[in-house]
Amino acid sequence: MHNKCTTNFIFSKIIYILICCFTIVSCKKASFNENKSSLNNPVLNRNQTLKTGFDFLPTSTTNQIVNHEFYSLSYNEKYEQAEWVSYKLTSQMISQHHFERPFFIDDPMVETHSANWKNYKKSGFDKGHLCPAGDMKFSEKAFEDTFFTSNISPQKHDFNDGIWNTLEAKVRYWAVKYNTIYVVTGGILSANLQTIGPEKVAVPNYFYKVLLNNSNGQYKMIAFLVPATNSNKPLYEFVVSVDLIEKLTGINFFPKLEDALENRLEQNNDYKKWSF
């Protein structure tokens, strides 16, 4: 009888130890997966809201606004691209993470269907990002979402990799320096543009960026209108008033700003408040 009780006691101890070991292993695995997730999404897992839910979206001439998680766009079916892409870029979002480049895919949220990437094949034009992949390296999902075809426009390689790339890098520099930048970018879409592919994707002759910053309640705005050819000119030579770009596009870029402030900012083409 004594031996049987001893055997049962030992058996119970073994079961208890096995259960403890299993629990410890499970907790470590869960912790590892959580840490791995944090590496893939370094910003999102710090409980920071970086979605595009801000009050500075432009007006749309097409009434087809698409809200992705980290940027919004207004798709223009006539020209088979976005007339604008808008997003908030903060210093926290600037990252040097290196994610594998995905394939371009159609945007499932565009009701009229975004142009297929095959329109660009052998066209002589790059698939030029409007919201740059380089601005969205803070998470893998944000990075991948820039590869919807609604977020591209035909650009010559020397322009895409040249002056336009220089301007994109400068925007990231300002996001770090000024903490938060609201960015609107697109091509100037007008009649009689060259087109590529069976869907006749328009090739803009000019591209623009409009930037808004609010530091300690002090607003400042700057706009760039850049011919779609490479240039060695300094960036400040492409600075124009926002009013000019509004006249060229029919878009009101910051309609929710107080009218007097909006008018003052949009008439100005002084770049001296921005560090070049």
Side-chain angles (χ1 to χ4, degrees):
M1 183 71 175
H2 176 75
N3 290 338
K4 183 176 181 181
C5 290
T6 302
T7 301
N8 289 340
F9 176 79
I10 294 172
F11 181 76
S12 298
K13 282 288 187 181
I14 292 172
I15 295 297
Y16 175 79
I17 291 170
L18 290 173
I19 291 172
C20 290
C21 290
F22 177 79
T23 302
I24 291 170
V25 170
S26 297
C27 289
K28 286 185 175 181
K29 183 177 181 181
S31 177
F32 172 78
N33 288 336
E34 182 178 355
N35 290 335
K36 183 178 179 182
S37 176
S38 296
L39 290 172
N40 288 335
N41 298 283
V43 174
L44 299 183
N45 284 276
R46 291 202 296 266
N47 297 318
Q48 296 171 353
T49 301
L50 294 172
K51 295 185 180 181
T52 56
F54 57 90
D55 292 331
F56 295 118
L57 285 183
T59 58
S60 171
T61 69
T62 65
N63 295 316
Q64 189 173 188
I65 294 179
V66 172
N67 293 307
H68 289 296
E69 191 169 3
F70 297 101
Y71 68 90
S72 298
L73 62 90
S74 173
Y75 198 77
N76 192 318
E77 179 66 22
K78 178 179 178 181
Y79 298 101
E80 289 291 6
Q81 62 198 276
E83 62 178 352
W84 55 255
V85 170
S86 183
Y87 59 99
K88 178 172 68 174
L89 187 63
T90 72
S91 57
Q92 295 171 328
M93 297 167 73
I94 304 302
S95 171
Q96 295 302 316
H97 285 88
H98 296 286
F99 301 115
E100 185 176 351
R101 222 177 138 86
F103 293 109
F104 284 94
I105 60 172
D106 295 358
D107 189 337
M109 295 182 68
V110 174
E111 292 182 1
T112 56
H113 303 289
S114 61
N116 190 274
W117 68 269
K118 290 183 180 178
N119 289 282
Y120 291 77
K121 192 173 183 179
K122 296 182 179 180
S123 68
F125 290 90
D126 285 1
K127 306 175 193 73
H129 280 81
L130 296 175
C131 174
D135 288 4
M136 297 286 145
K137 288 184 175 182
F138 58 89
S139 94
E140 190 166 11
K141 183 182 186 307
F143 180 80
E144 289 178 348
D145 280 357
T146 66
F147 287 83
F148 291 124
T149 56
S150 57
N151 184 45
I152 58 175
S153 181
Q155 296 179 341
K156 284 291 188 180
H157 179 72
D158 60 352
F159 170 76
N160 184 26
D161 198 47
I163 189 67
W164 192 245
N165 181 61
T166 301
L167 178 54
E168 291 174 338
K170 181 61 73 173
V171 172
R172 288 190 284 274
Y173 165 79
W174 283 329
V176 172
K177 185 175 180 65
Y178 302 127
N179 193 45
T180 300
I181 301 289
Y182 297 99
V183 185
V184 188
T185 189
I188 301 295
L189 304 178
S190 59
N192 303 318
L193 291 174
Q194 177 186 353
T195 63
I196 59 171
E199 293 180 271
K200 299 187 182 304
V201 180
V203 180
N205 293 321
Y206 293 85
F207 286 86
Y208 68 85
K209 282 190 186 291
V210 180
L211 311 176
L212 175 69
N213 168 250
N214 176 17
S215 297
N216 300 318
Q218 298 296 314
Y219 283 95
K220 60 183 177 182
M221 191 181 295
I222 193 169
F224 296 85
L225 183 64
V226 189
T229 56
N230 193 27
S231 174
N232 293 319
K233 292 181 179 179
L235 288 174
Y236 59 78
E237 291 199 17
F238 299 102
V239 173
V240 298
S241 70
V242 177
D243 277 346
L244 174 59
I245 298 179
E246 288 189 338
K247 289 176 183 177
L248 293 172
T249 61
I251 297 165
N252 185 355
F253 285 99
F254 297 105
K256 292 193 176 182
L257 286 176
E258 190 272 327
D259 286 345
L261 173 63
E262 181 185 3
N263 291 336
R264 177 173 62 82
L265 292 172
E266 292 183 351
Q267 291 170 4
N268 186 25
N269 62 357
D270 183 6
Y271 57 82
K272 293 179 183 177
K273 291 183 179 180
W274 297 78
S275 174
F276 281 86

